[in-house]
Structure formats: structure tokens, C-alpha cells
Amino acid sequence: MHSHEHFMQHALELASRGIGCTSPNPLVGSVVVRDGEIIGEGWHAVYGQAHAEVNALRDAEGRNSLVGATLYVTLEPCNHHGLTPPCTQAILNAGISQVVYALADPNPKAAGGARFLEEQGIQVLRGVLEDQASFQNRFFLSHVKRKRPYVIAKSATSLDGRIATHTGDSQWITGPESRIRAHELRQAVDAIIVGADTVIADNPALTTRLPEAICTNDNIRHARPVIMDSSGRVPLETQLLNGNSAHSRTVIAASTKMSPEHRQQLESRGFEVLNLPDSQDGIGIDPSALLTALAQRGIQSVLLEGGASVQGSFRDAGLIDEVWAFIAPMLIGGSTAPAAYAAAGSKTLGDATRLHDIRTETLGNDILVKGLITQADQQASIEHSKSATDTHL
């Protein structure tokens, strides 16, 4: 007889098929089990379409009676009528006798499903593989609980930590396998943040380029580009601002340093220009204010793609949640060749930001190192950033 954890693990694997396709909804997977065998499975595939429980129940129809069966789901079934009817009613109508879920729904609009089911006589078991479900839905949870997007910092460097040569040559440090993996990450997030220097130097498109569509509606999902350009230095001829329909959703994070004329030109092309405060050092945009503004626009996750000043400012502010570091087996050298993270940086190794839950992948000749940043390390970075600002003043 398989355990609850066995069936929940399969539900989590199903949920992952919706990565990059369900935002602003969470990732959810579900299986229906009778007599120790899976008779139905489903996941939330695309935002606005049926939820995982409904898909699993539909998949099970006709195979066996669902009366007395157990439904496993990675998130507490919703108990409200949004774009789709409440999943709790579908479960009740199907004759399910037990519901096992991993993660309680933190959204007050959708919560309460477990209590409703128990009141209807259905047995409910909570918290099976809760940690795994929480990590899988870290974007959604960050938006609901912290009111800010989850932040992933991505870098592609040589073994000696350089993102370009001293002349600015940077394409390509990593190999094609790493670039495909990076585009999978772009597919998963809601927005990509870059600085003005990166746009001026590289003129990136920031589109998602994969061999085939991931979402079941056959669409490639492009994250929303966000340019941190406080004074309006980025030329209007760049790919992100030239009016191409693929980039019509570009957001420009600016400050009062941007001239009214430049702001008007951007807005006349349909771009949204955010008026945000300067950072503490007065050099760029306050990254915390930017995250708040993006959260207000429904953005649950962002990917930092540089350059070094952007990565460093978010690190110093303690706003990075996860790091993806692609490392190529080459040495660039040069005292003026840029590193992946700039800004103030750490005074001592004790101030350095440390990662935990380290995971590695081999991609061709490259290595990808992924890790999370603890809240304690984030707070240490914030305190150091404050002290560094005071010193510079």
C-alpha cells in the first residue's frame, strides 16, 4: 500500500507542468486514488481554465465510481467562485470521502475549503509534503504574504566571476545548454529586470526562446521587461522601446531625474513609466520601491538579469530570495573586467550573503549553482547597506 507522501509527490510533479502558465494563480496538481491505485490525475494548466481537482475528477470519470475515493491535491481546495466554480463543490458532488492536501491556501478569498469539506462530512488530512509544496509555490506565497514579488538573481560568469571582458565583450560566456535553461527560467517568471547600462550595451530582446511551447495553449510566455533607467538614458531605438508589439508591455522604472519630455515620449508609445524614489546612495532606483510597484501590478516573481549594479543593489538591500549562477569553464581576468555583483558590497566575509539548499546542474561544459538566501542573511545585507551608505556620506 502506497503512502500519502507517495501520491502527494506525484501530485507535485503534475503541478510542475503548469510552471509559467498559471500566474497569478498558484501551481496545483491533484490525483484521485481508489483502492491504492491512481484512477485520475490533473493539474492547473493555464490561468482562467479548470483547476487541478476538477481536471483530476474529470479524468477519473468512467473508470470507477468516485464514491469513497481519496483526492490528493497540493493546495487546499478553493471555496469561492472566481473565474471557475469552487472546487469544494465539485469534490462534494463527486462523492469523494477523503481529501489530503499539502499547503493551506493563504489567499483569504479562496481559503476555507478544508473547513467546508469537513462540515459536509468529508475527512480532511492537512500538511502532507507541505515544505515541498511551499517551495513550488514560492512566487505565489511571496506575493500573498509579503506583498512583493519573489526575486531570483541570475548570472552567467567565467570561473573567475567575470560577466564580460574589460572591453565589454560578453556573448557568449556560457554554452547553448545553459542558455536554454535560462530561457526556461524566463518562462517561469512574471517580469525580467535589467539596468540601463545593460540595455545600452547589449540591446537585449528579453524574450523567451524555447524549442516548443510549454503552456498547453501552445503559447510561449514572455515575461514583462522592466528597465531601471532613472534619468532616461536608454535610447528609444533599442529593442525594448522601439514600439515592437512583442515589447509593448515594457515598464520603465524612473525617478524625477528623467525629463518630462522623455517621459512623454515613452508614454506616447504606450509604455508605463513608474516614478520611483532614488536608492539610498542616490545613484539609481530604490529596489524596494520598485518591487512594491510591481506587486501592485500583479507581478509575483521577477528575474534579475543585470547588470552588476542592479544585481548588487538588490543584494545590498536584502531583496534577493534565490540565486541562479551559471559558471563557464574559462578564465577572463583583467582588473577592470566587471563581476556579477557591484554596488557597495560586503565589508567583511561575515557580511557576505550566504546561500543554503544548494543544488547543482551540469549543462554541457557549464555548471549551474542554485541556492536560497535566508532571512537572516537578507537582514545582515540590509544592515551592512545602511552602514555603507552612512560611511559614504
Side-chain angles (χ1 to χ4, degrees):
M1 179 69 83
H2 293 300
S3 65
H4 290 312
E5 288 75 13
H6 170 82
F7 293 118
M8 189 62 74
Q9 182 61 48
H10 185 61
L12 287 166
E13 292 167 1
L14 292 171
S16 68
R17 299 184 186 183
I19 289 175
C21 309
T22 66
S23 182
N25 282 355
L27 299 167
V28 187
S30 180
V31 295
V32 181
V33 176
R34 186 177 179 83
D35 299 326
E37 298 293 333
I38 294 176
I39 62 172
E41 60 181 35
W43 63 95
H44 186 34
V46 177
Y47 173 70
Q49 296 184 9
H51 289 187
E53 303 95 312
V54 172
N55 286 329
L57 292 170
R58 288 173 179 170
D59 187 49
E61 288 176 356
R63 302 190 185 186
N64 273 303
S65 170
L66 300 187
V67 176
T70 297
L71 182 138
Y72 292 82
V73 62
T74 57
L75 184 71
E76 177 185 8
C78 67
N79 193 40
H80 83 303
H81 200 300
L83 294 178
T84 59
C87 292
T88 50
Q89 193 60 53
I91 293 170
L92 189 63
N93 294 342
I96 296 291
S97 65
Q98 183 183 35
V99 171
V100 181
Y101 70 85
L103 181 66
D105 195 330
N107 184 354
K109 293 182 180 179
R115 180 178 177 180
F116 172 82
L117 292 172
E118 286 178 324
E119 290 172 348
Q120 305 307 311
I122 295 177
Q123 183 181 356
V124 176
L125 179 62
R126 303 163 169 81
V128 176
L129 299 188
E130 181 178 7
D131 289 344
Q132 291 92 320
S134 295
F135 178 76
Q136 186 176 69
N137 269 311
R138 58 200 185 279
F139 301 169
F140 173 73
L141 294 176
S142 176
H143 189 261
V144 173
K145 293 184 175 182
R146 300 189 298 177
K147 309 301 181 186
R148 77 157 175 86
Y150 189 91
V151 178
I152 300 178
K154 190 214 83 175
S155 60
T157 70
S158 59
L159 278 175
D160 53 342
R162 304 294 198 248
I163 59 174
T165 68
H166 69 88
T167 63
D169 186 22
S170 62
Q171 294 183 350
W172 297 96
I173 291 177
T174 53
E177 296 87 352
S178 290
R179 294 197 289 276
I180 290 174
R181 192 74 176 95
H183 280 277
E184 291 174 349
L185 179 56
R186 284 185 177 181
Q187 158 78 21
V189 300
D190 290 340
I192 300 173
I193 298 178
V194 291
D197 289 336
T198 294
V199 179
I200 293 170
D202 299 337
N203 192 20
L206 299 187
T207 52
T208 299
R209 299 182 291 279
L210 292 170
E212 58 185 16
I214 291 178
C215 300
T216 56
N217 60 0
D218 294 327
N219 290 325
I220 291 289
R221 178 173 182 265
H222 300 291
R224 193 169 188 182
V226 179
I227 306 173
M228 295 180 70
D229 185 15
S230 58
S231 59
R233 295 186 294 118
V234 176
L236 296 176
E237 294 74 26
T238 57
Q239 292 193 75
L240 295 176
L241 299 179
N242 65 9
N244 185 303
S245 60
H247 305 108
S248 60
R249 296 159 58 246
T250 299
V251 175
I252 298 89
S255 72
T256 55
K257 296 176 183 176
M258 178 179 285
S259 70
E261 294 77 18
H262 189 71
R263 182 186 303 273
Q264 185 176 19
Q265 282 185 302
L266 290 169
E267 292 176 343
S268 67
R269 296 191 177 196
F271 299 118
E272 184 174 14
V273 182
L274 306 178
N275 189 19
L276 300 173
D278 292 325
S279 59
Q280 289 186 350
D281 58 15
I283 297 176
I285 298 295
D286 179 358
S288 179
L290 174 56
L291 291 183
T292 298
L294 294 179
Q296 292 169 348
R297 286 153 180 80
I299 291 174
Q300 298 185 351
S301 55
V302 299
L303 174 61
L304 304 181
E305 288 214 11
S309 296
V310 170
Q311 313 286 83
S313 67
F314 275 82
R315 190 218 75 104
D316 289 355
L319 293 172
I320 296 175
D321 300 299
E322 187 172 336
V323 171
W324 286 43
F326 293 87
I327 304 170
M330 69 169 69
L331 300 173
I332 291 178
S335 58
T336 60
Y341 292 81
S346 300
K347 286 184 178 179
T348 67
L349 291 181
D351 295 328
T353 300
R354 299 185 183 276
L355 308 182
H356 66 95
D357 290 352
I358 305 300
R359 293 150 288 150
T360 61
E361 298 177 22
T362 300
L363 301 164
N365 292 325
D366 304 332
I367 296 175
L368 168 60
V369 178
K370 299 186 290 184
L372 307 179
I373 298 178
T374 64
Q375 292 296 318
D377 277 319
Q378 288 184 343
Q379 188 59 40
S381 295
I382 293 172
E383 294 303 319
H384 167 68
S385 178
K386 289 179 179 178
S387 64
T389 302
D390 292 341
T391 301
H392 291 156
L393 290 174

